[in-house]
Amino acid sequence: MTPRPVPDWLTEWEYAHRGLHHDGVPENSLAAAEGAIAAGMGIECDIQRSRDDHPMVFHDWDLARLTGEAGDTEDRAADALEELSLLGTDQHPVRLATFLASVAGRVPLLIEVKSLPGYDVEWTCASVGWLLDTYSGAVAVMSFDPRVPMWFADNAPTIVRGLVGTDSFENGFEGVWRDPMALAEAQPDFLAIDVRDLERPEAAAWRAQNRPLLTWTVRSAETRVTGLAHADALIAEGAGLA
């Protein structure tokens, strides 16, 4: 697999994990995005798909943790999701279209498409790709699921694409990032690796090829040291921002 050139911005920024969130400012909210922009950081955000196929800036497969509501995120239409309150604040889940219009290219975006083994993630890819077709800001799409960068390689090759990797977090895709066949099929422009797994030889080998290596989630002074030593850009939150 021959690497293709990637834009310099990808590794020149530090990214706020789910935006710059804290008490009173929920993750993946417009307020968290504005906080990251004010702090001079790029933004990492997550995408779930609504019942009526809108990409929503929301992390969880179910609503309970972030909204206090019961049920699965994908079972509600976009309008209904946007009526919910995030963590008891005046912030709400928003469509990716709204999020893009708000950020408006002021800082780079890393958009993580959520998936599970067997999930019809290609439809989410198509919905995201359609919106990014007219977005002029710096943006990359990534996922634990290799089908996501594979879809963008085949259908929207001008969009920067990445594979997210972990061996420490159980999500159905553990270790996939180290599978040579998965990498060849996914054709990622970059890897974003769990900071706990960053010292694995496969990560060093990737970086030795002058290929971009990002890491998540930097939450402490210790993980910041690890990230700065072994990766090209950090996805950070909390104490990791200090």
Side-chain angles (χ1 to χ4, degrees):
M1 181 173 55
T2 303
R4 66 173 187 165
V6 294
D8 291 341
W9 62 258
L10 183 66
T11 56
E12 290 176 346
W13 289 73
E14 183 164 321
Y15 299 88
H17 185 238
R18 306 179 196 172
L20 192 50
H21 59 94
H22 48 79
D23 288 346
V25 178
E27 65 183 58
N28 280 319
S29 65
L30 293 178
E34 290 298 330
I37 293 167
M41 300 181 72
I43 300 165
E44 184 269 349
C45 66
D46 302 286
I47 296 297
Q48 293 279 355
R49 196 172 75 237
S50 69
R51 189 184 66 200
D52 48 349
D53 295 327
H54 287 276
M56 305 296 298
V57 182
F58 196 82
H59 180 273
D60 292 2
W61 292 93
D62 62 83
L63 298 168
R65 179 179 70 92
L66 294 168
T67 71
E69 295 275 333
D72 293 333
T73 306
E74 64 181 351
D75 288 341
R76 299 209 187 187
D79 285 348
L81 289 169
E82 289 186 323
E83 291 175 356
L84 301 175
S85 295
L86 290 170
L87 299 175
T89 70
D90 62 355
Q91 297 292 297
H92 309 275
V94 296
R95 291 167 169 87
L96 177 58
T98 303
F99 198 84
L100 292 174
S102 179
V103 174
R106 288 179 286 167
V107 299
L109 290 175
L110 302 178
I111 299 175
E112 183 187 338
V113 176
K114 308 306 290 185
S115 186
L116 294 168
Y119 180 65
D120 61 337
V121 73
E122 293 89 350
W123 192 239
T124 308
C125 292
S127 302
V128 171
W130 181 79
L131 290 173
L132 295 185
D133 187 53
T134 56
Y135 185 69
S136 59
V139 64
V141 175
M142 62 185 189
S143 181
F144 287 99
D145 190 335
R147 293 176 297 167
V148 172
M150 186 187 312
W151 187 94
F152 280 90
D154 292 340
N155 298 280
T158 61
I159 296 174
V160 180
R161 55 190 182 265
L163 184 65
V164 186
T166 186
D167 286 89
S168 301
F169 176 61
E170 296 182 5
N171 64 352
F173 297 105
E174 305 95 296
V176 170
W177 70 278
R178 294 186 290 107
D179 182 344
M181 183 174 295
L183 284 174
E185 292 177 346
Q187 301 177 60
D189 296 315
F190 67 95
L191 295 180
I193 302 304
D194 189 329
V195 70
R196 295 169 292 184
D197 305 310
L198 196 56
E199 295 183 63
R200 295 191 69 105
E202 294 89 349
W206 176 272
R207 200 179 185 202
Q209 300 173 56
N210 293 317
R211 308 199 67 178
L213 183 65
L214 281 61
T215 192
W216 55 275
T217 302
V218 172
R219 293 188 171 99
S220 66
E222 292 76 17
T223 53
R224 173 169 287 274
V225 169
T226 300
L228 290 174
H230 298 284
D232 300 304
L234 310 183
I235 302 170
E237 70 175 44
L241 298 176

